[in-house]
């Protein structure tokens, strides 16, 4: 290994000696071992430059290969190149290795050229970075997102460098009008990105920004496609400048709006020539087709830097001898022409493969042009550009300036420019109407409608002319037993027309006969029926504000609180009161909380009427307070929800979907059908193996009178009779905007789309499909639908400002806190009752000198007697004489004035 390295050094030294003898300039190139394409671009760029130089001095490359993340090796190789007399060094892609080389070149004032994104650009250094300045690049991303009018989007970043590139986009979240979600694609570096995409699959946000390394970009998009996130509902913006180099064919037909940016000017002949040189096979030396070989941005930047360096050298060589004799890293000498060469590079400009290359007064490439490119069915198409002076300019197709165009470009055979197409349609609402006018109209001016406006917008974009003709019978087309087509499909086949636009559903049978564009509208079959009438009031509607579980819980709480008052009343000493306040030490006490009084107290409180019973003890007052609090919230909640229920009339729906319609149609005397010989009838015919759909089709065949020949007749039947009409959802939406008594029922029975039909193998199918996608992404088709569905020809008259009045019963989840407060209050009340009783027994025990346990047992005998509300006083002389046997069972005494069962008043 040492012999091999020393051999390569000797070869380099021999080469340098030859270069110095011939007066050639040494250009050093230090490249990472995993960036072979940059090394190849360096070699080819020097070859092309040498072909253009008119003087005898040529540029001689000296190339060194670095191991990744080996900064010591990078410094050593830079010193070797400087000793050989290199006037410039093209640095590696790895940022750590580049910084080591930069420190060496700064000391020797030798320019070092960088072609990668650097988030820490330095002024007044030897670096000449041909990559766009990071601040300006971030500004471009922000302005592009604003141009797209994305108020909500998701940012996916790859690593720390990727995160830094998106910081300015993240700052948009400071504006409350923006909703931004940020996610790292693969935090654990597993190569699996589905988890992050699966997390946002159900999110309403469908705008996605992706910044990641080129080597993982295609896999990221592929896994997003696997999860169904590649359809017309999603928009992607890719920030990688090499987005155009990956294989995008799997995404060309997904109808997804995928937009990227690039610095490369692929329209220039110099770019094409350089790409061909890069794509040559090293084995055969033959040219490869550039279709399968793309030029990366770093390679194009190396070529632009080499040509700009050559121009700067030519300016420096006038009257000077700028040859670098070589300098050792161990001395303090620097190359005297190094700073001059840097200054010259910063003052000149060239038209390169990455656009206009020039530097500002701080030495940064801040004025550049980013090209916006979009994935379409025919591949990548440039749709706009961004620069500092004009901002974002979007136009499809992109009108390149004259200097951008290739003189040898051939005319596109699919172009529609200045062609005249015959467009057939039918007077079907809202696609085509005869225009109301007091003047006589001719030609296309006679018609208006959604279809007319759509074809007009397409003609403006593609610059073609069109003539509208009508199909009088309004037939879309059907195939007879001989395989011949009628209607508009037949007119296309017979070359009566070039295009057909109406409510033409794309299905397999029609697609075999003609071609369709990308669907301009998605839809499905639903049911049109009268709006439901109000349900009759329920006899127990007063109970509807609370759910059944709430009522049960309230009843249990009522019983539990009442029993608790009864028990605590007996346990609490304060509730045993003297019936005769004039006697200080009565012989008997009474308790107001009998079982009936306890339930009566809870009842009066629950009805907010109160009772004559007032709690005295702390425990009973605690329970009463919690019960009052409980009732307060229960009554307030009930009253509020009762008002909503009384003001709401619940609709009575006869059916909700096709299953319930078929099941209850006979009992409810509901007729149903679809347009005769239409796509909806054919759907049920083709789906007759499905049990429910088969029943529907058999019913249609048995009841031909329920199959109107026109959608308008079906709408009138649904409005005036008990009739359910199967129709496509877009037509139902149109009808319900004008017939306020009708409503759309059920889920989609199928999914399909309307398309513009043309003859089979038409040359302009792809271009028209692309035009429709452009109109959809620009929101024009949505605007046209809003205009003709909701604004024109009677639309919008059924708009209602009523809020959703459906009130929902309050369940336990809404009121469980109130129940818990009541339970906790009861627990605290019981605790106070026990403590109060213990304190009372201790007091009596001390007063009578009776042991505490015996006094407690004596008291508990009376508390356990639930048949009596009379209890003798333990400390009175009448019931406990001094020296009397304390274990003698005392008969319950009766208070003064107590009335016995014989109604005789006892002696006092």
């Amino acid at each position: 290994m040492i012999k091999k390295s020393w051999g390569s050094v000797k070869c380099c030294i021999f080469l340098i000696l030859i270069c110095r003898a011939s007066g050639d300039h040494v250009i050093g190139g230090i490249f990472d071992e995993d960036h072979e394409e940059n090394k190849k671009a360096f070699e080819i760029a020097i070859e092309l430059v040498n072909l253009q130089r008119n003087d005898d001095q040529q540029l001689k490359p000296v190339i060194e290969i670095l191991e990744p993340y080996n900064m010591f090796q990078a410094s050593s190789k830079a010193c070797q190149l400087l000793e050989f007399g290199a006037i410039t060094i093209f640095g590696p892609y790895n940022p750590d290795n580049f910084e080591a080389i930069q420190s060496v070149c700064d000391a020797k004032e030798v320019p070092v050229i960088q072609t990668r994104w650097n988030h820490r650009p330095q002024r007044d250094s030897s670096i000449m970075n041909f990559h766009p300045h990071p601040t300006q690049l971030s500004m471009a991303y922000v302005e592009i997102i604003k141009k797209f009018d994305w108020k909500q989007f998701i940012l996916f970043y790859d690593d720390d460098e990727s995160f830094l590139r998106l910081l300015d986009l993240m700052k948009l979240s400071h504006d409350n009008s923006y909703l931004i979600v940020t996610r790292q694609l693969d935090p654990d570096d597993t190569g699996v990105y589905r988890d992050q995409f699966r997390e946002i699959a159900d999110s309403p946000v469908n705008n996605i920004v992706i910044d990641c390394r080129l080597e993982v970009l295609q896999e990221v998009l592929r896994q997003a496609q696997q999860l169904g996130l590649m359809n017309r509902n999603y928009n992607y913006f890719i920030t990688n400048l090499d987005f155009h180099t990956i294989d995008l064919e799997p995404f060309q037909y997904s109808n997804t709006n995928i937009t990227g940016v690039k610095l490369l000017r692929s329209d220039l002949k110099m770019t094409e020539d350089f790409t061909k040189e890069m794509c040559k096979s090293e084995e055969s030396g033959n040219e490869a087709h550039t279709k399968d070989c793309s030029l990366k941005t770093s390679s194009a930047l190396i070529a632009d830097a080499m040509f700009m360096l050559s121009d700067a050298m030519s300016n420096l060589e006038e009257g000077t001898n700028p040859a670098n004799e070589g300098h050792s890293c161990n001395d303090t000498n620097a190359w005297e022409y190094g700073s001059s060469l840097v200054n010259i590079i910063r003052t000149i400009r060239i038209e390169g493969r990455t656009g206009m290359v020039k530097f500002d007064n701080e030495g940064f490439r801040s004025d550049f042009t980013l090209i916006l490119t979009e994935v379409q069915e025919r591949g990548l198409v440039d749709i706009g550009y961004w620069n500092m002076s004009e901002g974002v300019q979007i136009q499809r197709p992109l009108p390149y300036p004259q200097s951008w165009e290739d003189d040898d470009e051939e005319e596109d055979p699919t172009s529609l420019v200045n062609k005249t197409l015959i467009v057939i349609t039918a007077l079907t609402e809202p696609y085509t109407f005869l225009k109301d006018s007091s003047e006589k109209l001719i030609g296309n001016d006679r018609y208006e409608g959604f279809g007319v406006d759509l074809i007009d917008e397409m003609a403006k974009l593609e610059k073609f002319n069109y003539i509208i003709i009508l199909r009088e019978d309004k037939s879309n087309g059907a195939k007879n037993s001989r395989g011949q087509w009628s209607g508009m499909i037949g007119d296309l086949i017979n070359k009566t027309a070039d295009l057909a636009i109406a409510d033409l559903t794309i299905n397999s049978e029609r697609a075999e006969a003609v071609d369709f564009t990308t669907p301009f509208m998605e839809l499905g079959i639903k049911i049109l029926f009268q709006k439901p009438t109000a349900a009759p009031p329920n006899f127990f509607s007063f109970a509807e504000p609370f759910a059944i579980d709430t009522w049960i819980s309230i009843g249990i709480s009522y019983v539990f609180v009442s029993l608790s008052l009864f028990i605590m009343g007996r346990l609490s000493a304060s509730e045993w009161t003297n019936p005769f306040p004039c006697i200080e030490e009565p012989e008997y006490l009474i308790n107001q909380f009998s079982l009936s009084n306890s339930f009566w107290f809870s009842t009066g409180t629950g009805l907010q009427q109160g009772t004559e019973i007032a709690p005295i003890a702390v425990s009973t007052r605690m329970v009463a307070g919690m019960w009052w609090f409980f009732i307060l919230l229960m009554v307030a909640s009930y009253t509020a929800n009762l008002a909503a229920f009384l003001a709401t009339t619940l609709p009575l729906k006869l059916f909700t979907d096709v299953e319930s319609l078929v099941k209850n149609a006979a009992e409810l005397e509901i007729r149903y059908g679809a347009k005769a010989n239409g796509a909806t009838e054919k759907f049920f015919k083709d789906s007759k193996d499905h049990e429910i759909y088969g029943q529907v089709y058999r019913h249609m065949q048995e009841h031909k009178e329920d199959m109107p020949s026109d959608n308008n007749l079906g709408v009138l039947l649904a409005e005036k009779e008990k009739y359910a009409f199967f129709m496509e959802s877009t037509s139902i939406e149109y009808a319900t905007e004008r017939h306020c008594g009708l409503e759309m029922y059920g889920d989609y029975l199928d999914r399909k789309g309307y398309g513009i039909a043309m003859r089979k193998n038409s040359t302009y199918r792809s271009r028209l499909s692309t035009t429709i996608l452009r109109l959809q992404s620009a929101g024009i088709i949505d605007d046209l639908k809003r205009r003709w569905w909701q604004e024109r020809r009677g639309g919008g008259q059924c708009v209602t400002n009523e809020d959703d009045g459906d009130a929902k019963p309050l369940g336990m989840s809404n009121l469980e806190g109130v129940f818990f407060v009541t339970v906790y209050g009861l627990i605290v009340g019981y605790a106070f009752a026990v403590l109060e009783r213990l304190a009372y027994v201790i007091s009596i025990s001390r007063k009578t000198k009776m042991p505490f346990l015996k006094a407690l047992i004596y008291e508990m005998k009376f508390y356990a007697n639930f048949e009596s509300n009379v209890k003798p006083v333990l400390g009175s002389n009448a019931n406990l004489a001094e020296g009397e046997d304390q274990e003698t069972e005392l008969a319950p005494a009766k208070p003064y004035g107590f009335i016995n069962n014989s109604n005789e008043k006892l002696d006092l």
Side-chain angles (χ1 to χ4, degrees):
M1 179 66 70
I2 296 175
K3 290 182 179 180
K4 184 178 179 180
S5 300
W6 175 242
S8 63
V9 171
K10 288 194 295 184
C11 289
C12 291
I13 294 174
F14 180 71
L15 177 61
I16 299 306
L17 293 175
I18 294 177
C19 293
R20 290 182 183 176
S22 61
D24 292 338
H25 299 297
V26 177
I27 307 298
I30 303 179
F31 301 103
D32 302 304
E33 60 184 10
D34 56 348
H35 283 80
E36 181 66 26
E37 70 275 8
N38 288 349
K39 171 180 171 293
K40 188 174 182 179
F42 178 79
E43 295 172 335
I44 294 174
I46 287 185
E47 291 178 6
L48 296 176
V49 166
N50 286 335
L51 291 174
Q52 293 185 0
R53 288 181 69 88
N54 296 324
D55 50 28
D56 295 332
Q57 291 183 334
Q58 298 284 292
L59 304 183
K60 298 296 181 180
V62 180
I63 298 176
E64 298 285 353
I65 303 300
L66 282 179
E67 298 175 358
Y69 305 102
N70 193 334
M71 291 180 285
F72 176 77
Q73 186 186 37
S75 301
S76 300
K77 290 187 179 294
C79 288
Q80 290 177 14
L81 290 177
L82 293 180
E83 290 178 3
F84 295 160
I87 62 172
T88 303
I89 294 179
F90 282 70
Y93 199 81
N94 184 280
D96 295 326
N97 288 344
F98 184 87
E99 289 181 0
I101 295 172
Q102 176 201 343
S103 62
V104 174
C105 292
D106 282 344
K108 298 302 175 183
E109 297 184 7
V110 173
V112 58
I113 292 178
Q114 189 176 34
T115 57
R116 79 180 305 276
W117 184 85
N118 184 359
H119 73 283
R120 295 180 295 181
Q122 299 178 10
R123 294 180 294 178
D124 303 326
S125 69
S126 61
I127 297 180
M128 297 300 301
N129 193 344
F130 282 75
H131 194 279
H133 191 271
T135 303
Q136 306 306 120
L137 200 57
S138 296
M139 180 192 300
Y141 296 158
V142 171
E143 292 185 9
I144 290 170
I145 293 299
K146 289 183 177 179
K147 184 70 175 181
F148 291 166
D149 196 25
W150 288 4
K151 296 298 183 181
Q152 299 180 345
F153 56 91
I154 299 171
L155 286 174
F156 282 116
Y157 68 93
D158 187 15
D159 49 23
D160 293 341
E161 183 177 291
S162 173
F163 182 84
L164 293 173
R165 269 195 296 269
L166 299 178
L167 271 179
D168 285 350
L169 276 177
M170 297 177 192
K171 291 177 182 177
L172 286 176
S173 61
H174 297 163
D175 185 348
N176 292 332
S177 61
Y178 286 90
L179 173 63
I180 303 174
V181 180
T182 305
R183 293 288 185 273
Q184 186 172 3
L185 280 169
D186 188 12
D188 300 324
D189 197 23
T190 60
V192 178
Y193 313 103
R194 297 184 192 88
D195 294 340
Q196 299 299 329
F197 284 114
R198 189 176 291 111
E199 184 180 339
I200 59 104
D202 298 328
S203 170
V205 183
N206 56 2
N207 301 316
I208 301 172
V209 179
I210 298 178
D211 188 298
C212 66
R213 293 162 292 158
L214 181 66
E215 27 308 1
V216 302
L217 177 56
Q218 185 164 358
E219 182 63 19
V220 169
L221 295 178
R222 189 182 70 85
Q223 293 189 22
Q225 187 179 48
Q226 290 174 347
L227 291 177
L229 301 183
M230 282 285 178
N231 55 56
R232 67 179 65 254
N233 297 323
Y234 288 91
N235 306 302
Y236 289 82
F237 176 58
I238 313 298
T239 63
N240 195 299
L241 296 180
D242 287 325
F243 166 65
H244 61 280
T245 65
I246 66 174
D247 181 15
L248 295 168
E249 185 176 0
F251 318 111
Q252 289 178 204
Y253 305 97
S254 62
N255 292 333
T256 308
N257 185 8
I258 305 177
T259 306
V261 288
K262 64 179 182 179
L263 201 62
L264 192 69
R265 287 284 304 278
S266 54
D267 60 295
L268 297 178
K269 192 174 186 306
M270 69 173 78
T271 306
E272 182 181 352
D273 293 341
F274 190 74
T275 304
K276 288 180 179 179
E277 292 294 327
M278 287 287 294
C279 294
K280 279 184 179 179
S281 171
E282 293 183 359
E283 289 78 10
S284 62
N286 296 326
E287 289 189 359
H289 294 288
T290 57
K291 179 180 179 181
D292 300 323
C293 181
S294 301
L295 185 64
K296 290 187 179 180
T297 304
S298 59
S299 299
L301 290 174
I302 288 174
D304 289 347
M306 193 66 72
F307 278 87
M308 199 167 189
L309 175 65
S310 176
D311 289 351
M313 287 297 300
S314 298
N315 293 335
L316 183 62
E317 288 167 358
E318 297 178 0
T320 64
N321 182 17
N324 187 354
E325 298 298 330
H327 296 281
S328 172
C329 290
N330 296 324
D331 58 37
T332 59
N333 296 329
W335 185 36
E336 58 180 326
Y337 296 107
S339 58
S340 299
L341 182 59
V342 171
N343 291 332
I344 291 174
I345 293 176
R346 289 176 177 174
T347 55
I348 64 175
R349 62 178 62 188
I350 67 167
E351 181 73 20
R353 292 144 194 83
T354 58
M356 181 61 66
V357 183
K358 59 180 180 179
F359 293 87
D360 58 20
N361 56 0
E362 295 184 346
F364 302 137
R365 188 178 178 185
S366 57
D367 190 1
F368 56 91
T369 297
L370 275 184
I371 299 173
L372 275 72
T373 182
E374 185 178 75
V375 178
Q376 299 180 4
E377 286 192 3
R378 52 179 170 159
L380 276 175
V381 178
D382 296 341
I383 62 167
Y385 62 90
W386 173 93
N387 56 41
M388 289 184 62
S389 58
E390 300 177 75
V392 182
Q393 300 294 325
I394 296 180
Q395 186 173 348
R396 301 175 174 88
L398 178 63
Y400 291 103
Q402 281 188 341
S403 61
W404 292 19
E405 297 179 354
D406 190 350
D407 296 336
D408 299 329
E409 184 179 359
E410 297 181 358
E411 183 181 356
D412 186 357
T414 66
S415 175
L416 290 169
V417 176
N418 295 328
K419 291 184 179 180
T420 299
L421 303 179
I422 305 300
V423 180
I424 190 168
T425 185
L427 294 178
T428 305
E429 299 178 358
Y431 301 96
T432 307
F433 301 93
L434 286 174
K435 190 179 295 184
D436 297 329
S437 176
S438 58
E439 301 178 359
K440 183 178 180 180
L441 303 176
I442 60 175
N444 297 341
D445 293 338
R446 294 173 293 171
Y447 309 109
E448 65 178 0
F450 175 85
V452 177
D453 285 355
L454 176 59
I455 203 70
D456 189 62
E457 291 291 342
M458 297 173 68
K460 290 178 182 178
L461 284 178
E462 295 299 330
K463 297 180 175 56
F464 65 85
N465 303 314
Y466 63 94
I467 298 174
I468 297 177
I469 61 174
L470 287 181
R471 179 79 191 183
E472 297 295 339
D473 61 3
K474 302 181 182 180
S475 172
N476 291 341
K479 187 166 64 172
N480 59 26
S481 58
R482 293 175 295 175
Q484 296 177 339
W485 282 86
S486 61
M488 285 185 275
I489 302 294
D491 292 334
L492 293 174
I493 297 174
N494 299 330
K495 298 185 178 180
T496 305
D498 298 310
L499 301 177
I501 182 169
D503 51 347
L504 269 173
T505 304
I506 303 173
N507 57 38
S508 59
E509 188 177 27
R510 290 174 178 173
E512 291 177 357
V514 296
D515 279 343
F516 284 93
T517 62
T518 296
F520 60 80
M521 191 175 296
E522 291 186 342
L523 58 139
I525 297 174
K526 287 196 173 185
I527 307 172
L528 181 68
F529 192 67
Q530 297 173 359
K531 285 185 176 180
T533 58
N538 186 1
F539 182 78
F540 293 100
S541 59
F542 64 87
E544 290 179 352
F546 285 157
I548 184 63
D549 58 343
T550 305
W551 284 116
I552 293 174
S553 300
I554 291 175
I556 294 174
S557 301
Y558 166 74
V559 173
F560 190 63
V561 169
S562 300
L563 292 176
S564 298
L565 285 172
F566 173 65
I567 295 172
M568 290 182 188
R570 302 195 66 80
L571 290 176
S572 301
S574 301
E575 292 296 345
W576 293 92
T577 58
N578 181 4
F580 301 100
C582 297
I583 302 176
E584 293 183 0
E585 293 186 0
E587 189 174 350
Y588 305 102
L589 301 176
I590 63 174
N591 193 310
Q592 61 180 340
F593 278 108
S594 63
L595 188 61
S596 58
N597 283 352
S598 298
F599 275 94
W600 177 245
F601 178 85
S602 299
T603 302
T605 304
L607 297 176
Q608 292 188 315
Q609 298 301 311
T611 64
E612 70 280 3
I613 302 172
I616 300 173
V618 175
S619 58
T620 51
R621 287 183 176 182
M622 176 66 71
V623 173
M626 292 302 100
W627 178 243
W628 292 340
F629 172 73
F630 175 84
I631 292 300
L632 173 67
L633 294 185
M634 287 293 106
V635 171
S637 302
Y638 177 85
T639 304
N641 221 29
L642 180 64
F645 267 90
L646 294 178
T648 303
T649 56
L650 298 178
L652 178 62
K653 289 190 175 183
L654 301 181
F655 63 92
T656 57
D657 51 22
V658 63
E659 288 83 1
S660 57
L661 170 63
V662 173
K663 180 180 179 181
N664 302 319
E667 180 182 351
L668 300 175
E669 299 180 349
I670 300 176
R671 299 159 52 202
Y672 59 88
K675 179 183 175 182
N677 300 320
T680 302
E681 181 185 0
K682 187 177 185 307
F683 163 77
F684 287 108
K685 179 181 179 181
D686 295 340
S687 305
K688 57 186 178 183
D689 292 338
H690 190 287
E691 181 180 354
I692 295 297
Y693 298 164
Q695 292 184 40
V696 173
Y697 180 71
R698 289 191 294 272
H699 176 89
M700 291 178 177
Q701 298 303 303
E702 296 170 0
H703 299 81
K704 292 292 185 180
E705 69 278 7
D706 293 336
M707 302 293 288
S709 60
D710 185 77
N711 281 341
N712 290 334
L713 295 177
V715 172
L716 292 177
L717 280 173
E719 187 174 31
K720 295 181 179 180
E721 301 182 18
K722 213 172 182 180
Y723 177 79
F725 188 47
F726 288 97
M727 193 164 57
E728 290 161 343
S729 57
T730 52
S731 300
I732 294 180
E733 291 172 7
Y734 183 81
T736 54
E737 287 287 339
R738 289 153 181 80
H739 301 270
C740 303
L742 298 178
E743 188 174 291
M744 183 158 51
Y745 283 73
D747 297 325
Y748 288 105
L749 304 187
D750 67 342
R751 288 282 187 176
K752 51 194 174 184
Y754 288 155
I756 300 176
M758 65 204 75
R759 280 187 293 279
K760 201 69 177 175
N761 301 320
S762 174
T763 57
Y764 39 80
R765 174 185 175 275
S766 177
R767 185 173 288 273
L768 291 176
S769 294
T770 302
T771 305
I772 289 176
L773 293 176
R774 287 159 58 188
L775 292 175
Q776 286 175 336
S777 62
I780 295 176
I781 291 183
D782 289 337
D783 291 340
L784 294 180
K785 184 178 180 183
R786 188 181 307 109
R787 179 191 305 171
W788 289 105
W789 263 253
Q790 301 177 8
E791 298 175 4
R792 302 283 184 89
R793 299 276 182 160
Q797 58 182 307
C798 298
V799 175
T800 177
N801 294 323
E802 294 181 2
D803 297 330
D804 183 12
D806 292 344
K808 297 181 179 180
L810 299 178
M812 281 300 297
S813 60
N814 304 100
L815 302 170
E816 61 182 355
V818 181
F819 288 99
F820 276 115
V821 169
T822 306
V823 171
Y824 294 150
L826 291 175
I827 294 173
V828 174
Y830 274 112
F832 274 109
V834 172
L835 292 175
E836 183 182 12
R837 173 49 52 191
L838 292 177
Y840 174 77
V841 172
I842 291 173
S843 174
I844 293 299
S845 175
R846 290 179 177 178
K847 179 178 178 181
T848 61
K849 301 184 183 304
M850 180 185 295
F852 170 78
L853 184 59
K854 292 184 177 181
L856 180 62
I857 294 173
Y858 179 83
E859 287 286 304
M860 293 304 296
K861 288 181 180 179
F862 293 98
Y863 300 148
N865 184 11
F866 295 106
E867 296 179 356
S868 174
N869 274 5
V870 179
K871 182 181 81 70
V873 179
L874 184 60
S876 64
N877 293 329
N879 291 311
L880 190 63
E882 184 176 355
E884 184 181 63
D885 186 2
Q886 298 173 2
E887 296 183 359
T888 303
E889 183 176 354
L890 297 179
K894 298 181 180 180
Y896 297 104
F898 183 84
I899 304 300
N900 62 9
N901 292 333
S902 60
N903 293 327
E904 295 179 1
K905 189 172 182 180
L906 300 178
D907 295 334
L908 296 181

